[in-house]
């Protein structure tokens, strides 16, 4: 079986940091509430950096680590719902920035689930023999999508990008995927497709910002994420005990703890970095993969599950070997 193997990872977060005390200067909140309810302490916020720029920086680092020439990349998939332009798509901007002159590329939008869906699509392209080398990026400027006067959402998000480069491997380890959507529950989490870096929104335009029924999203996540992980484990015949790490979308520490509990799995196998970056939507999973990789936490043959969930509502997962 031909499957994709990760041969490089990269990430980029803007240098500008806002901690919870900074948020408390903007809205009626405090460090204790935010840490207790979410696990978040800080977030990195783009000043001049665009989504495409951050995507390109993460991609450059992944390609550099892989040692693969950019010309060998066949396909670039960028998962984003906050690109500064609708077109050219961020994937074409990334192609230009890294010199991947032989690649095709496009963006995909499934909010926080986007990277995992992109990863699954890349595996499908590789298994079908359509591509040999695929770059998958998750990149977001959430700071442009949030209402900085709404304490129930603005404290949750941050900006950044992560990337992985997948290379076809003959007789590669099997890859198991699953994905679902529930359009009926779409109103639980909405954001309009406008990029408002320089806009002064009137009160009635606030509909354009992210709106979320936090409790509904929380309940959805703690039910559906364990379900999709169990679905993948059942398909693969692999047991939860054999999984080295469950790398979940970093939205809220309590969601991740609840998933670990439902799966009766020790929380130590659920790495987290949301304390530092908050929820960077499609970028959380690849940023965490890159951090772990650069810390030397991965070894050949380890079994990993990645899982994402978010607006749509959408949720997806993948089991693969490092
Ligand atoms: N600071 C202080 N108080 C606050 C804040 C804040 N930042 N935000 C809300 N509160 C208040 C509320 O007004 C409420 O006050 P009240 O009791 O007087 O009415 C109280 O705190 C409790 O509010 P809840 O909304 O019930 O708080 P909850 O424990 O549910 O936590 C949270 C809210 C953190 C948003 C939680 O519901 C959550 O994490 N949900 C999931 C969100 C998520 O993961 N979204 C991302 C999905 S990914 C994507 O696609 C973008």
């Amino acid at each position: 079986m031909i499957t994709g193997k990760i041969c490089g990872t990269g990430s980029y977060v803007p240098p500008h940091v806002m901690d919870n005390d900074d948020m408390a200067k903007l809205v009626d909140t405090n460090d204790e509430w935010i840490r207790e309810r979410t696990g978040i302490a800080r977030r990195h916020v783009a000043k001049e950096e665009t989504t495409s720029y951050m995507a390109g920086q993460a991609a450059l680092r992944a390609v550099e680590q892989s040692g693969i020439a950019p010309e060998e990349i066949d396909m670039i998939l960028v998962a984003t719902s906050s690109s500064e332009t609708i077109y050219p798509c961020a994937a074409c901007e990334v192609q230009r920035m890294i010199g991947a002159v032989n690649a095709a590329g496009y963006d995909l939008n499934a909010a926080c689930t986007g990277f995992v869906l992109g990863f699954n699509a890349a595996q499908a392209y590789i298994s079908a023999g359509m591509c040999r080398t695929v770059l998958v990026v998750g990149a977001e400027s959430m700071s442009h999508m949030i209402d900085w006067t709404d304490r129930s959402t603005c404290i949750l998000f941050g900006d950044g990008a992560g990337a992985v480069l997948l290379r076809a491997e003959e007789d590669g380890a099997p890859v198991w995927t699953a994905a679902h959507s529930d359009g009926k529950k779409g109103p639980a989490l909405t954001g309009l497709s406008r990029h408002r870096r320089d806009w002064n929104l009137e009160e009635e335009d606030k509909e354009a910002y992210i709106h979320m029924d936090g409790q509904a999203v929380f309940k959805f996540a703690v039910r559906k994420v364990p379900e999709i992980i169990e679905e993948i484990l059942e398909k693969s015949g692999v047991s939860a005990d054999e999984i080295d790490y469950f790398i979940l979308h970093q939205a809220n520490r309590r969601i991740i703890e609840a998933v670990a509990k439902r799966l009766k799995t020790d929380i130590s196998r659920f790495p987290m970095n949301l304390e530092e970056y908050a929820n960077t939507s499609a970028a959380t999973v690849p940023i965490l993969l890159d951090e772990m990789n650069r810390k030397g936490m991965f070894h050949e043959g380890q079994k990993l599950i990645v899982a994402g969930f978010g607006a749509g509502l959408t949720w997806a997962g993948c089991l693969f070997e490092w």
Side-chain angles (χ1 to χ4, degrees), residues 29 33 37 112 151 189 212 214-215 249 251-252 254 279 310-311:
T29 190
W33 192 97
R37 300 288 177 119
C112 306
R151 69 177 183 174
L189 182 42
M212 181 173 66
Q215 289 186 5
H249 170 46
N252 185 316
R254 288 189 298 139
N279 178 351

Side-chain angles (χ1 to χ4, degrees), residues 198-254:
D198 299 313
W199 289 18
N200 286 318
L201 283 190
E202 300 296 334
E203 199 58 32
E204 62 267 24
D205 289 327
K206 287 196 169 186
E207 279 306 306
Y209 291 126
I210 287 178
H211 284 267
M212 181 173 66
D213 178 345
Q215 289 186 5
V217 175
F218 193 98
K219 281 184 200 149
F220 147 76
V222 300
R223 196 171 64 246
K224 292 299 180 186
V225 176
E227 268 179 32
I228 202 165
I229 290 174
E230 276 165 353
E231 178 186 341
I232 292 169
L233 291 172
E234 197 177 313
K235 270 187 197 175
S236 63
V238 174
S239 74
D241 290 344
E242 293 174 79
I243 303 298
D244 290 283
Y245 292 113
F246 298 85
I247 297 165
L248 305 191
H249 170 46
Q250 305 283 296
N252 185 316
R253 192 192 59 225
R254 288 189 298 139

Side-chain angles (χ1 to χ4, degrees), residues 130-182:
M130 293 166 71
C131 298
R132 287 197 61 77
T133 310
V134 183
L135 179 67
V136 190
V137 185
E140 303 281 12
S141 303
M142 300 307 288
S143 59
H144 300 310
M145 297 186 70
I146 51 179
D147 177 354
W148 286 88
T149 65
D150 173 13
R151 69 177 183 174
S152 69
T153 52
C154 73
I155 54 116
L156 298 172
F157 296 99
D159 300 335
V164 302
L165 191 62
L166 286 165
R167 181 79 145 174
E169 194 177 62
E170 317 294 330
D171 301 320
V175 169
W176 304 93
T177 66
H180 300 281
S181 302
D182 183 356

Side-chain angles (χ1 to χ4, degrees), residues 40-305:
I40 295 164
R42 287 170 293 280
R43 68 283 295 140
H44 291 241
V45 178
K47 287 280 199 187
E48 299 302 323
E49 304 89 343
T50 62
T51 306
S52 300
Y53 173 81
M54 295 190 287
Q57 291 301 310
L60 276 172
R61 291 169 190 188
V63 174
E64 185 185 37
Q65 189 186 65
S66 73
I68 288 171
E71 296 81 8
E72 291 182 47
I73 298 171
D74 305 309
M75 179 67 77
I76 300 171
L77 304 176
V78 177
T80 184
S81 50
S82 57
S83 188
E84 65 282 357
T85 56
I86 302 295
Y87 39 75
C89 63
C92 288
E93 290 289 291
V94 170
Q95 178 199 25
R96 181 180 60 75
M97 285 186 247
I98 66 173
V101 290
N102 297 312
Y106 61 91
D107 294 358
L108 58 100
N109 166 13
C112 306
T113 317
F115 174 81
V116 178
L117 286 167
F119 189 87
N120 289 357
Q123 290 289 359
Y125 278 126
I126 289 170
S127 292
M130 293 166 71
C131 298
R132 287 197 61 77
T133 310
V134 183
L135 179 67
V136 190
V137 185
E140 303 281 12
S141 303
M142 300 307 288
S143 59
H144 300 310
M145 297 186 70
I146 51 179
D147 177 354
W148 286 88
T149 65
D150 173 13
R151 69 177 183 174
S152 69
T153 52
C154 73
I155 54 116
L156 298 172
F157 296 99
D159 300 335
V164 302
L165 191 62
L166 286 165
R167 181 79 145 174
E169 194 177 62
E170 317 294 330
D171 301 320
V175 169
W176 304 93
T177 66
H180 300 281
S181 302
D182 183 356
K184 288 200 296 292
K185 299 213 173 75
L189 182 42
T190 59
L192 300 191
S193 65
R194 294 191 210 160
H195 202 266
R196 301 174 307 276
R197 179 179 280 264
D198 299 313
W199 289 18
N200 286 318
L201 283 190
E202 300 296 334
E203 199 58 32
E204 62 267 24
D205 289 327
K206 287 196 169 186
E207 279 306 306
Y209 291 126
I210 287 178
H211 284 267
M212 181 173 66
D213 178 345
Q215 289 186 5
V217 175
F218 193 98
K219 281 184 200 149
F220 147 76
V222 300
R223 196 171 64 246
K224 292 299 180 186
V225 176
E227 268 179 32
I228 202 165
I229 290 174
E230 276 165 353
E231 178 186 341
I232 292 169
L233 291 172
E234 197 177 313
K235 270 187 197 175
S236 63
V238 174
S239 74
D241 290 344
E242 293 174 79
I243 303 298
D244 290 283
Y245 292 113
F246 298 85
I247 297 165
L248 305 191
H249 170 46
Q250 305 283 296
N252 185 316
R253 192 192 59 225
R254 288 189 298 139
I255 292 176
I256 296 172
E257 286 170 350
V259 172
K261 200 169 166 193
R262 285 197 185 195
L263 291 169
K264 299 187 176 59
T265 303
D266 193 81
I267 191 70
S268 62
R269 285 192 282 145
F270 287 74
M272 286 183 240
N273 65 1
L274 54 81
E275 183 180 8
E276 178 64 30
Y277 304 117
N279 178 351
T280 56
S281 192
T284 65
V285 170
I287 290 175
L288 183 52
L289 278 170
D290 183 48
E291 277 198 347
M292 294 175 71
N293 185 23
R294 285 173 195 266
K295 281 182 190 159
M297 292 171 72
F298 295 134
H299 307 291
E300 181 86 22
Q302 274 179 330
K303 290 184 170 50
L304 309 178
I305 285 186

Side-chain angles (χ1 to χ4, degrees), residues 12-30:
Y12 176 89
V13 291
H16 180 63
V17 174
M18 291 179 74
D19 65 17
N20 291 342
D21 292 334
D22 294 322
M23 300 307 291
K25 290 175 195 148
L26 301 176
V27 290
D28 180 15
T29 190
N30 57 73

